[in-house]
Amino acid sequence: MAIGVERRCCGTDVIMADVRVLYHAQCFDGFASAAVFSRFYSDCISATASYAYRGLRHGGTGPLDEHIFDHPVNAIVDFRYSPSAKLHWWFDHHCSAFESLNDRDTYMKRATKSHHWDPEEPSCAGFMVRRLRSIFDVELQGLDSLAVWADKLDSAKFQDAAQVVELNEPVHQLMTVCEHLQDGHLAERVIDAMAGGLVEDIAVDADIKSRFLLVFEDMLRGQAVVESLYRTKRDVVIVDLADSGPVTVNKFLAYYLEPDCTYVVSLVRGRHRGVQLSVGSNPWRSFARRHDIASICQMFGGGGHAVVGGICLPNATVEQGRVILNRIVDLLTASEAK
Ligand SMILES: [Mn+2]
């Protein structure tokens, strides 16, 4: 499968690929979905097509910029919808796929064979394999294990916290690399291998292994920092990293350190400015969750799902972030006392 090369010249993209594949960046399911798409396109639409991949990140509101649809054929996978006529293919499973009711209407009215959404699906890559097989009668041979992995990892079906914090299994290591990988040669190698049905093979590749070890060392340093400063209030773990500088922390670490906790609330500085808060509930003690986390985050300008959410405050000071952190902890612990 040919990979498109782009050159930037005087601020203008010189188009060298046939298909632009925009995928959810830094996410195993995003990579897997990009792979399923290019494999489908090559098998079903054009055997000689070349692809230019680009990861998209959450954050920022308003419609997606038209400029991202810069190739003759443009696809978005595992990321939100755009009503642009230049979006030729779209697959997603996020509840928050539509910016507005208007966008949702546009999607419903378009009713094409090339735009697909199902928020009940555990992963976008798994959804794509199932949907494409049923609609286009295409075999997509060798992609079953990719679909199974994407379903498992994107819905956080891990045995226990140790499995996802100690990261001994190759595909879990590949997942970790994907979560820290920017666009570029290695990202394209991963997508290509996944498209060829070689997810287990690329997971044990030497370049993936060495990249994993770098990330894992950072995570171990992050773990030491969290262990030194986290505190608990009833069944809530509080992690305030606002004064810790940039640290890499495994998002399941708190459940590994405090397996009996129900919630984790954390505060970090924003990538460029401000602060970010995240609120999560213990996936291995889901019966203990007493709150809808999305609605708590919405009270402070954030959002998310019932089980996990976040708040981005680009203009807030650390002190303001701490006030919100404490208010959230109070909310989470207050109803427990009732
Ligand atoms: Mn996904």
Side-chain angles (χ1 to χ4, degrees):
M1 195 169 307
I3 285 175
V5 180
E6 282 174 87
R7 262 185 225 125
R8 201 164 269 277
C9 167
C10 314
T12 320
D13 277 327
V14 177
I15 296 172
M16 307 270 299
D18 303 307
V19 185
R20 169 62 89 190
V21 183
L22 300 155
Y23 64 98
H24 185 194
Q26 299 185 331
C27 166
F28 180 92
D29 190 33
F31 281 82
S33 301
V36 174
F37 183 77
S38 56
R39 171 64 184 278
F40 153 74
Y41 202 88
S42 297
D43 284 6
C44 232
I45 312 284
S46 163
T48 56
S50 58
Y51 303 91
Y53 298 102
R54 179 175 163 194
L56 298 177
R57 278 181 191 82
H58 291 305
T61 46
L64 291 170
D65 193 328
E66 279 277 312
H67 291 114
I68 62 176
F69 306 121
D70 53 0
H71 280 56
V73 174
N74 301 292
I76 290 182
V77 290
D78 196 31
F79 204 80
R80 66 189 156 96
Y81 180 72
S82 163
S84 169
K86 291 187 198 158
L87 177 63
H88 304 101
W89 294 88
W90 178 65
F91 295 86
D92 195 18
H93 72 131
H94 288 94
C95 301
S96 52
F98 302 101
E99 274 288 300
S100 65
L101 289 173
N102 264 347
D103 283 6
R104 200 182 156 139
D105 272 2
T106 310
Y107 161 73
M108 303 293 258
K109 282 188 199 131
R110 261 172 146 180
T112 77
K113 263 175 105 179
S114 54
H115 289 185
H116 299 274
W117 177 64
D118 187 344
E120 304 285 309
E121 286 281 356
S123 76
C124 186
F127 168 48
M128 290 173 73
V129 168
R130 291 181 280 274
R131 181 64 63 94
L132 289 167
R133 276 180 179 157
S134 76
I135 291 188
F136 291 89
D137 198 26
V138 56
E139 218 179 320
L140 301 176
Q141 209 185 6
L143 293 193
D144 288 306
S145 82
L146 182 64
V148 169
W149 275 114
D151 284 348
K152 239 197 257 185
L153 302 183
D154 218 41
S155 55
K157 292 270 181 307
F158 301 102
Q159 256 164 38
D160 48 29
Q163 189 181 43
V164 67
V165 170
E166 293 173 7
L167 291 167
N168 292 310
E169 292 170 41
V171 180
H172 292 152
Q173 297 179 356
L174 174 63
M175 170 193 77
T176 306
V177 171
C178 289
E179 287 167 0
H180 293 83
L181 196 56
Q182 309 293 332
D183 290 343
H185 179 64
L186 190 56
E188 288 171 0
R189 270 193 60 210
V190 169
I191 293 171
D192 244 13
M194 286 174 164
L198 300 169
V199 61
E200 275 99 358
D201 299 68
I202 191 74
V204 294
D205 178 271
D207 290 342
I208 294 296
K209 188 85 187 173
S210 59
R211 190 65 72 98
F212 166 73
L213 290 173
L214 289 176
V215 177
F216 195 63
E217 270 175 36
D218 286 345
M219 283 178 161
L220 289 178
R221 276 194 287 273
Q223 180 169 339
V225 172
V226 171
E227 278 177 312
S228 73
L229 59 68
Y230 83 90
R231 56 190 205 275
T232 57
K233 183 176 175 189
R234 298 214 178 105
D235 61 348
V236 180
V237 175
I238 304 155
V239 186
D240 181 346
L241 292 166
D243 293 328
S244 303
V247 279
T248 303
V249 177
N250 186 308
K251 56 183 181 255
F252 297 99
L253 177 63
Y255 311 116
Y256 179 70
L257 300 175
E258 293 289 330
D260 293 332
C261 78
T262 305
Y263 299 106
V264 176
V265 187
S266 56
L267 176 73
V268 295
R269 281 185 202 249
R271 205 183 297 172
H272 303 296
R273 61 206 178 98
V275 293
Q276 291 175 14
L277 290 112
S278 51
V279 186
S281 56
N282 190 337
W284 298 281
R285 284 178 51 82
S286 51
F287 56 86
R289 182 172 63 84
R290 308 174 293 277
H291 301 81
D292 174 32
I293 291 175
S295 58
I296 289 183
C297 291
Q298 276 162 4
M299 292 169 61
F300 304 98
H305 308 278
V307 296
V308 61
I311 307 161
C312 241
L313 300 168
N315 299 312
T317 63
V318 167
E319 283 320 308
Q320 289 167 330
R322 286 190 173 128
V323 169
I324 295 176
L325 176 89
N326 290 329
R327 285 186 58 196
I328 293 173
V329 172
D330 286 345
L331 284 168
L332 293 172
T333 50
S335 37
E336 195 219 12
K338 274 177 199 161

